[in-house]
Amino acid sequence: MEKVEFLKSVPIFSELKDDTLAQLSRSGSVQSFSKESIILSEKEAGSALFIIISGKVKISRISTEDDDREVILSILNPSDFFGEMSLLDGLERSATCTAMEDSKILIIQRNDFLKLLEDHPEVSIALLQELTQRLRAAGMKIKALSLKDAEGKVASVLLQLADDIGKIKHGVVEIEKLPFQHELANMAGTSRETISRTLHAFAKKGLVELEGSKLRIVDYEKFKELYGL
Ligand code: CMP
């Protein structure tokens, strides 16, 4: 896909005219990252904005108090952006961002992005809307991690994935490629064994169907009623 076409598909830029998108695409550079490579690291300095053209990016933090356990904050997909926090507040990177697949990323430098925000308030508003959604998701995550029981923790990760990468059809949500169990464990703040046991318990109750790396939430509304926060 051509750079301008791609930028048009990015929700925060969807209102921009072609000439502005063309200018933005000229100022950005494209970089490829192979699977598992670190795109940016927690605590380093940085000021660029990253937009995923293709691939998948894991946003995580390492909890040093807990055997260097990784906590996955989010998994981002094409057209999603990251790196806006350091760009905006000038502080160190708040999390580590790792390519989960071979990924292509568009990198926009701070000054170019700030100029865009100044000239196009609609981009600023769209950015604020996206950040508000992330704040809501982070609030849900805090609540989910503080839950005592495994079912609640695992269910809230499934609800987060349904929101991020699920496809809904006739009340059924299908998650085509469920993250690996150790990744689900890091998202839920629990162990891989608990993930396995709880997913099978959900399947036994008829709440989900598992088929290879595919997971279906059989009745999404009911599942939300049971486990939504
Ligand atoms: P920055 O702090 O510059 O670098 C790490 C990036 O990870 C950060 O900007 C955000 O883009 C992203 N990030 C940090 N915390 C979260 C979160 N809770 N949910 C989604 N993305 C996040």
Side-chain angles (χ1 to χ4, degrees):
M1 201 189 323
E2 203 217 319
K3 264 209 257 176
V4 172
E5 275 307 298
F6 163 70
L7 284 171
K8 224 183 245 177
S9 76
V10 176
I12 55 167
F13 300 142
S14 64
E15 303 287 311
L16 292 175
K17 299 216 169 68
D18 281 2
D19 54 341
T20 313
L21 291 172
Q23 202 183 340
L24 186 63
S25 84
R26 280 193 297 276
S27 65
S29 61
V30 177
Q31 213 174 310
S32 297
F33 293 89
S34 51
K35 186 175 170 171
E36 310 289 352
S37 61
I38 291 180
I39 303 170
L40 51 90
S41 298
E42 186 175 344
K43 295 208 159 66
E44 73 185 11
S47 57
L49 179 77
F50 297 70
I51 306 173
I52 306 171
I53 298 174
S54 61
K56 237 186 216 345
V57 173
K58 174 177 77 179
I59 313 285
S60 63
R61 298 193 71 160
I62 303 294
S63 157
T64 43
E65 278 153 38
D66 193 3
D67 287 342
D68 284 350
R69 186 197 183 98
E70 180 189 39
V71 176
I72 299 179
L73 299 171
S74 186
I75 293 176
L76 302 180
N77 295 295
S79 295
D80 287 337
F81 62 83
F82 57 95
E84 78 294 342
M85 291 172 65
S86 295
L87 184 153
L88 291 169
D89 66 13
L91 298 179
E92 59 196 24
R93 297 292 189 191
S94 61
T96 296
C97 307
T98 312
M100 296 177 82
E101 300 170 353
D102 290 348
S103 301
K104 244 197 213 167
I105 310 283
L106 177 69
I107 303 174
I108 297 175
Q109 295 306 320
R110 180 170 195 268
N111 286 346
D112 295 321
F113 189 64
L114 289 183
K115 172 103 179 58
L116 186 77
L117 294 181
E118 275 168 19
D119 293 347
H120 298 277
E122 66 274 27
V123 178
S124 305
I125 292 169
L127 176 69
L128 286 172
Q129 281 169 344
E130 174 60 32
L131 294 184
T132 307
Q133 275 179 26
R134 288 188 188 178
L135 197 55
R136 282 183 193 274
M140 297 242 297
K141 186 150 207 100
I142 291 168
K143 196 162 174 188
L145 289 174
S146 68
L147 291 175
K148 293 250 173 350
D149 81 305
E151 285 203 356
K153 286 184 183 180
V154 180
S156 44
V157 167
L158 293 185
L159 287 171
Q160 183 190 344
L161 288 169
D163 224 30
D164 288 347
I165 54 172
K167 294 208 172 75
I168 188 156
K169 207 170 164 187
H170 307 305
V172 180
V173 167
E174 187 162 290
I175 300 168
E176 179 71 35
K177 214 167 147 217
L178 200 64
F180 293 118
Q181 290 198 349
H182 71 273
E183 291 168 335
L184 292 173
N186 289 344
M187 292 175 83
T190 180
S191 65
R192 204 194 56 74
E193 291 71 23
T194 302
I195 293 290
S196 171
R197 187 170 28 82
T198 310
L199 286 180
H200 284 103
F202 284 155
K204 217 168 166 193
K205 285 186 192 171
L207 293 170
V208 305
E209 286 171 3
L210 288 158
E211 204 184 299
S213 64
K214 201 182 280 181
L215 180 139
R216 255 177 247 110
I217 301 177
V218 178
D219 184 340
Y220 186 45
E221 284 309 313
K222 181 173 162 199
F223 198 78
K224 273 199 292 192
E225 245 170 60
L226 286 172
Y227 298 106
L229 297 171

mmCIF file of all heavy atoms in Angstrom, residues 40-41 46 48 59-61 73-74 76 81-87 89 91-97 134 137-138 141, ligand 1:
data_model
loop_
_atom_site.group_PDB
_atom_site.id
_atom_site.type_symbol
_atom_site.label_atom_id
_atom_site.label_comp_id
_atom_site.label_asym_id
_atom_site.label_seq_id
_atom_site.Cartn_x
_atom_site.Cartn_y
_atom_site.Cartn_z
ATOM 1 N N LEU A 40 11.359 -0.195 20.804
ATOM 2 C CA LEU A 40 11.865 0.777 21.773
ATOM 3 C C LEU A 40 11.770 0.204 23.181
ATOM 4 O O LEU A 40 10.947 -0.656 23.460
ATOM 5 C CB LEU A 40 11.176 2.140 21.632
ATOM 6 C CG LEU A 40 9.681 2.262 21.612
ATOM 7 C CD1 LEU A 40 9.160 2.441 23.013
ATOM 8 C CD2 LEU A 40 9.318 3.482 20.782
ATOM 9 N N SER A 41 12.670 0.684 24.044
ATOM 10 C CA SER A 41 12.792 0.090 25.377
ATOM 11 C C SER A 41 12.338 1.051 26.463
ATOM 12 O O SER A 41 12.598 2.253 26.379
ATOM 13 C CB SER A 41 14.247 -0.260 25.681
ATOM 14 O OG SER A 41 14.707 -1.197 24.784
ATOM 15 N N GLY A 46 13.416 9.204 24.047
ATOM 16 C CA GLY A 46 12.936 9.080 22.672
ATOM 17 C C GLY A 46 11.874 10.104 22.397
ATOM 18 O O GLY A 46 11.234 10.605 23.324
ATOM 19 N N ALA A 48 10.157 10.087 18.916
ATOM 20 C CA ALA A 48 9.417 9.862 17.668
ATOM 21 C C ALA A 48 8.108 9.120 17.933
ATOM 22 O O ALA A 48 7.949 8.458 18.963
ATOM 23 C CB ALA A 48 10.285 9.069 16.703
ATOM 24 N N ILE A 59 3.114 -4.254 23.799
ATOM 25 C CA ILE A 59 3.524 -3.194 24.721
ATOM 26 C C ILE A 59 3.616 -3.838 26.102
ATOM 27 O O ILE A 59 2.617 -4.365 26.595
ATOM 28 C CB ILE A 59 2.469 -2.059 24.795
ATOM 29 C CG1 ILE A 59 2.004 -1.621 23.408
ATOM 30 C CG2 ILE A 59 2.957 -0.894 25.643
ATOM 31 C CD1 ILE A 59 2.960 -0.798 22.647
ATOM 32 N N SER A 60 4.798 -3.820 26.700
ATOM 33 C CA SER A 60 4.920 -4.518 27.984
ATOM 34 C C SER A 60 5.842 -3.786 28.948
ATOM 35 O O SER A 60 6.614 -2.911 28.546
ATOM 36 C CB SER A 60 5.450 -5.932 27.751
ATOM 37 O OG SER A 60 6.732 -5.873 27.190
ATOM 38 N N ARG A 61 5.720 -4.148 30.207
ATOM 39 C CA ARG A 61 6.619 -3.626 31.241
ATOM 40 C C ARG A 61 7.144 -4.807 32.030
ATOM 41 O O ARG A 61 6.477 -5.838 32.137
ATOM 42 C CB ARG A 61 5.864 -2.690 32.192
ATOM 43 C CG ARG A 61 5.324 -1.488 31.490
ATOM 44 C CD ARG A 61 4.875 -0.465 32.489
ATOM 45 N NE ARG A 61 6.046 0.116 33.145
ATOM 46 C CZ ARG A 61 6.026 1.282 33.774
ATOM 47 N NH1 ARG A 61 4.917 1.976 33.854
ATOM 48 N NH2 ARG A 61 7.098 1.760 34.357
ATOM 49 N N LEU A 73 0.756 -4.941 28.498
ATOM 50 C CA LEU A 73 -0.272 -3.899 28.660
ATOM 51 C C LEU A 73 -1.242 -3.899 27.485
ATOM 52 O O LEU A 73 -2.433 -3.647 27.642
ATOM 53 C CB LEU A 73 0.386 -2.520 28.751
ATOM 54 C CG LEU A 73 1.352 -2.312 29.912
ATOM 55 C CD1 LEU A 73 2.102 -1.008 29.758
ATOM 56 C CD2 LEU A 73 0.576 -2.338 31.222
ATOM 57 N N SER A 74 -0.696 -4.181 26.311
ATOM 58 C CA SER A 74 -1.561 -4.116 25.139
ATOM 59 C C SER A 74 -0.877 -4.789 23.947
ATOM 60 O O SER A 74 0.346 -4.931 23.935
ATOM 61 C CB SER A 74 -1.830 -2.643 24.831
ATOM 62 O OG SER A 74 -2.760 -2.499 23.805
ATOM 63 N N LEU A 76 -0.828 -4.209 19.839
ATOM 64 C CA LEU A 76 -1.290 -3.258 18.831
ATOM 65 C C LEU A 76 -1.195 -3.851 17.426
ATOM 66 O O LEU A 76 -0.342 -4.689 17.147
ATOM 67 C CB LEU A 76 -0.474 -1.962 18.914
ATOM 68 C CG LEU A 76 -0.493 -1.234 20.267
ATOM 69 C CD1 LEU A 76 0.360 0.029 20.204
ATOM 70 C CD2 LEU A 76 -1.915 -0.871 20.683
ATOM 71 N N PHE A 81 -0.908 3.336 16.766
ATOM 72 C CA PHE A 81 0.334 4.091 16.991
ATOM 73 C C PHE A 81 0.845 3.853 18.407
ATOM 74 O O PHE A 81 0.082 3.445 19.295
ATOM 75 C CB PHE A 81 0.101 5.603 16.761
ATOM 76 C CG PHE A 81 -0.910 6.199 17.700
ATOM 77 C CD1 PHE A 81 -0.548 6.599 18.975
ATOM 78 C CD2 PHE A 81 -2.239 6.350 17.317
ATOM 79 C CE1 PHE A 81 -1.473 7.128 19.856
ATOM 80 C CE2 PHE A 81 -3.180 6.879 18.187
ATOM 81 C CZ PHE A 81 -2.791 7.269 19.454
ATOM 82 N N PHE A 82 2.123 4.132 18.607
ATOM 83 C CA PHE A 82 2.705 4.107 19.956
ATOM 84 C C PHE A 82 3.885 5.071 19.987
ATOM 85 O O PHE A 82 4.351 5.550 18.950
ATOM 86 C CB PHE A 82 3.110 2.686 20.382
ATOM 87 C CG PHE A 82 4.074 2.006 19.461
ATOM 88 C CD1 PHE A 82 5.444 2.040 19.699
ATOM 89 C CD2 PHE A 82 3.625 1.319 18.335
ATOM 90 C CE1 PHE A 82 6.345 1.411 18.847
ATOM 91 C CE2 PHE A 82 4.512 0.684 17.478
ATOM 92 C CZ PHE A 82 5.874 0.735 17.731
ATOM 93 N N GLY A 83 4.338 5.391 21.213
ATOM 94 C CA GLY A 83 5.462 6.320 21.359
ATOM 95 C C GLY A 83 5.013 7.760 21.551
ATOM 96 O O GLY A 83 5.833 8.661 21.658
ATOM 97 N N GLU A 84 3.680 7.950 21.624
ATOM 98 C CA GLU A 84 3.171 9.325 21.743
ATOM 99 C C GLU A 84 3.446 9.918 23.135
ATOM 100 O O GLU A 84 3.499 11.131 23.290
ATOM 101 C CB GLU A 84 1.659 9.367 21.434
ATOM 102 C CG GLU A 84 0.712 8.892 22.522
ATOM 103 C CD GLU A 84 0.839 7.410 22.844
ATOM 104 O OE1 GLU A 84 1.403 6.664 22.038
ATOM 105 O OE2 GLU A 84 0.368 7.010 23.937
ATOM 106 N N MET A 85 3.641 9.055 24.160
ATOM 107 C CA MET A 85 3.770 9.590 25.521
ATOM 108 C C MET A 85 5.063 10.383 25.686
ATOM 109 O O MET A 85 5.050 11.542 26.111
ATOM 110 C CB MET A 85 3.647 8.449 26.550
ATOM 111 C CG MET A 85 2.235 7.886 26.583
ATOM 112 S SD MET A 85 2.019 6.413 27.586
ATOM 113 C CE MET A 85 2.342 7.003 29.210
ATOM 114 N N SER A 86 6.196 9.768 25.324
ATOM 115 C CA SER A 86 7.475 10.492 25.418
ATOM 116 C C SER A 86 7.501 11.676 24.463
ATOM 117 O O SER A 86 8.079 12.718 24.763
ATOM 118 C CB SER A 86 8.646 9.570 25.102
ATOM 119 O OG SER A 86 8.731 8.579 26.079
ATOM 120 N N LEU A 87 6.873 11.476 23.310
ATOM 121 C CA LEU A 87 6.822 12.590 22.349
ATOM 122 C C LEU A 87 6.136 13.805 22.996
ATOM 123 O O LEU A 87 6.597 14.934 22.869
ATOM 124 C CB LEU A 87 6.052 12.145 21.103
ATOM 125 C CG LEU A 87 5.960 13.119 19.922
ATOM 126 C CD1 LEU A 87 5.780 12.361 18.619
ATOM 127 C CD2 LEU A 87 4.842 14.129 20.064
ATOM 128 N N ASP A 89 5.372 14.327 26.468
ATOM 129 C CA ASP A 89 5.822 14.881 27.759
ATOM 130 C C ASP A 89 7.346 14.950 27.915
ATOM 131 O O ASP A 89 7.844 15.456 28.918
ATOM 132 C CB ASP A 89 5.180 14.138 28.949
ATOM 133 C CG ASP A 89 5.611 12.684 29.079
ATOM 134 O OD1 ASP A 89 6.586 12.279 28.421
ATOM 135 O OD2 ASP A 89 4.975 11.954 29.870
ATOM 136 N N LEU A 91 9.406 12.796 28.690
ATOM 137 C CA LEU A 91 9.993 11.884 29.689
ATOM 138 C C LEU A 91 10.418 10.581 29.010
ATOM 139 O O LEU A 91 10.195 10.386 27.819
ATOM 140 C CB LEU A 91 8.974 11.605 30.802
ATOM 141 C CG LEU A 91 8.524 12.843 31.603
ATOM 142 C CD1 LEU A 91 7.500 12.454 32.661
ATOM 143 C CD2 LEU A 91 9.717 13.537 32.245
ATOM 144 N N GLU A 92 11.001 9.666 29.806
ATOM 145 C CA GLU A 92 11.493 8.418 29.221
ATOM 146 C C GLU A 92 10.331 7.532 28.759
ATOM 147 O O GLU A 92 9.177 7.716 29.188
ATOM 148 C CB GLU A 92 12.372 7.682 30.239
ATOM 149 C CG GLU A 92 11.639 7.356 31.520
ATOM 150 C CD GLU A 92 12.575 6.972 32.672
ATOM 151 O OE1 GLU A 92 13.755 7.361 32.665
ATOM 152 O OE2 GLU A 92 12.103 6.268 33.570
ATOM 153 N N ARG A 93 10.664 6.590 27.885
ATOM 154 C CA ARG A 93 9.642 5.668 27.372
ATOM 155 C C ARG A 93 9.003 4.903 28.533
ATOM 156 O O ARG A 93 9.713 4.392 29.414
ATOM 157 C CB ARG A 93 10.268 4.673 26.383
ATOM 158 C CG ARG A 93 10.847 5.316 25.116
ATOM 159 C CD ARG A 93 9.779 5.895 24.245
ATOM 160 N NE ARG A 93 10.283 6.324 22.944
ATOM 161 C CZ ARG A 93 9.563 7.066 22.095
ATOM 162 N NH1 ARG A 93 8.352 7.477 22.406
ATOM 163 N NH2 ARG A 93 10.058 7.417 20.942
ATOM 164 N N SER A 94 7.682 4.802 28.506
ATOM 165 C CA SER A 94 6.957 4.221 29.637
ATOM 166 C C SER A 94 6.859 2.704 29.559
ATOM 167 O O SER A 94 6.443 2.058 30.526
ATOM 168 C CB SER A 94 5.543 4.803 29.673
ATOM 169 O OG SER A 94 4.884 4.471 28.464
ATOM 170 N N ALA A 95 7.194 2.129 28.427
ATOM 171 C CA ALA A 95 7.045 0.677 28.272
ATOM 172 C C ALA A 95 7.977 0.217 27.147
ATOM 173 O O ALA A 95 8.515 1.043 26.407
ATOM 174 C CB ALA A 95 5.593 0.339 27.917
ATOM 175 N N THR A 96 8.137 -1.097 27.057
ATOM 176 C CA THR A 96 8.936 -1.673 25.965
ATOM 177 C C THR A 96 7.993 -2.110 24.844
ATOM 178 O O THR A 96 6.933 -2.683 25.118
ATOM 179 C CB THR A 96 9.744 -2.881 26.497
ATOM 180 O OG1 THR A 96 10.662 -2.387 27.475
ATOM 181 C CG2 THR A 96 10.525 -3.580 25.395
ATOM 182 N N CYS A 97 8.372 -1.830 23.624
ATOM 183 C CA CYS A 97 7.524 -2.188 22.481
ATOM 184 C C CYS A 97 8.297 -3.168 21.609
ATOM 185 O O CYS A 97 9.390 -2.846 21.136
ATOM 186 C CB CYS A 97 7.140 -0.932 21.695
ATOM 187 S SG CYS A 97 6.402 0.339 22.753
ATOM 188 N N ARG A 134 -7.538 4.341 25.783
ATOM 189 C CA ARG A 134 -6.442 3.573 26.405
ATOM 190 C C ARG A 134 -6.480 3.732 27.920
ATOM 191 O O ARG A 134 -6.164 2.804 28.657
ATOM 192 C CB ARG A 134 -5.090 4.028 25.850
ATOM 193 C CG ARG A 134 -4.905 3.567 24.424
ATOM 194 C CD ARG A 134 -3.517 3.831 23.912
ATOM 195 N NE ARG A 134 -3.462 3.534 22.478
ATOM 196 C CZ ARG A 134 -2.397 3.695 21.725
ATOM 197 N NH1 ARG A 134 -1.276 4.141 22.241
ATOM 198 N NH2 ARG A 134 -2.430 3.406 20.441
ATOM 199 N N ALA A 137 -9.102 1.440 29.138
ATOM 200 C CA ALA A 137 -8.617 0.051 29.098
ATOM 201 C C ALA A 137 -7.639 -0.189 30.247
ATOM 202 O O ALA A 137 -7.658 -1.253 30.877
ATOM 203 C CB ALA A 137 -7.958 -0.233 27.759
ATOM 204 N N ALA A 138 -6.784 0.819 30.534
ATOM 205 C CA ALA A 138 -5.807 0.654 31.626
ATOM 206 C C ALA A 138 -6.542 0.540 32.967
ATOM 207 O O ALA A 138 -6.163 -0.253 33.829
ATOM 208 C CB ALA A 138 -4.829 1.821 31.638
ATOM 209 N N LYS A 141 -7.827 -2.815 33.267
ATOM 210 C CA LYS A 141 -6.729 -3.749 33.524
ATOM 211 C C LYS A 141 -6.345 -3.736 35.008
ATOM 212 O O LYS A 141 -6.133 -4.788 35.601
ATOM 213 C CB LYS A 141 -5.541 -3.340 32.666
ATOM 214 C CG LYS A 141 -4.436 -4.283 32.747
ATOM 215 C CD LYS A 141 -3.621 -4.325 31.481
ATOM 216 C CE LYS A 141 -2.978 -5.662 31.359
ATOM 217 N NZ LYS A 141 -3.612 -6.559 30.494
HETATM 218 P P1 CMP B 1 6.065 5.978 25.142
HETATM 219 O O1 CMP B 1 6.044 6.084 26.621
HETATM 220 O O2 CMP B 1 6.664 7.081 24.383
HETATM 221 O O3 CMP B 1 6.769 4.602 24.734
HETATM 222 C C1 CMP B 1 6.132 3.394 25.106
HETATM 223 C C2 CMP B 1 4.732 3.414 24.512
HETATM 224 O O4 CMP B 1 3.892 2.324 24.887
HETATM 225 C C3 CMP B 1 3.939 4.621 25.049
HETATM 226 O O5 CMP B 1 4.549 5.810 24.615
HETATM 227 C C4 CMP B 1 2.565 4.294 24.541
HETATM 228 O O6 CMP B 1 2.455 4.553 23.164
HETATM 229 C C5 CMP B 1 2.546 2.784 24.762
HETATM 230 N N1 CMP B 1 1.849 2.462 26.041
HETATM 231 C C6 CMP B 1 2.286 2.664 27.299
HETATM 232 N N2 CMP B 1 1.379 2.252 28.206
HETATM 233 C C7 CMP B 1 0.334 1.769 27.492
HETATM 234 C C8 CMP B 1 -0.922 1.172 27.836
HETATM 235 N N3 CMP B 1 -1.280 0.979 29.105
HETATM 236 N N4 CMP B 1 -1.745 0.798 26.833
HETATM 237 C C9 CMP B 1 -1.390 0.962 25.530
HETATM 238 N N5 CMP B 1 -0.226 1.510 25.144
HETATM 239 C C10 CMP B 1 0.620 1.902 26.098
#
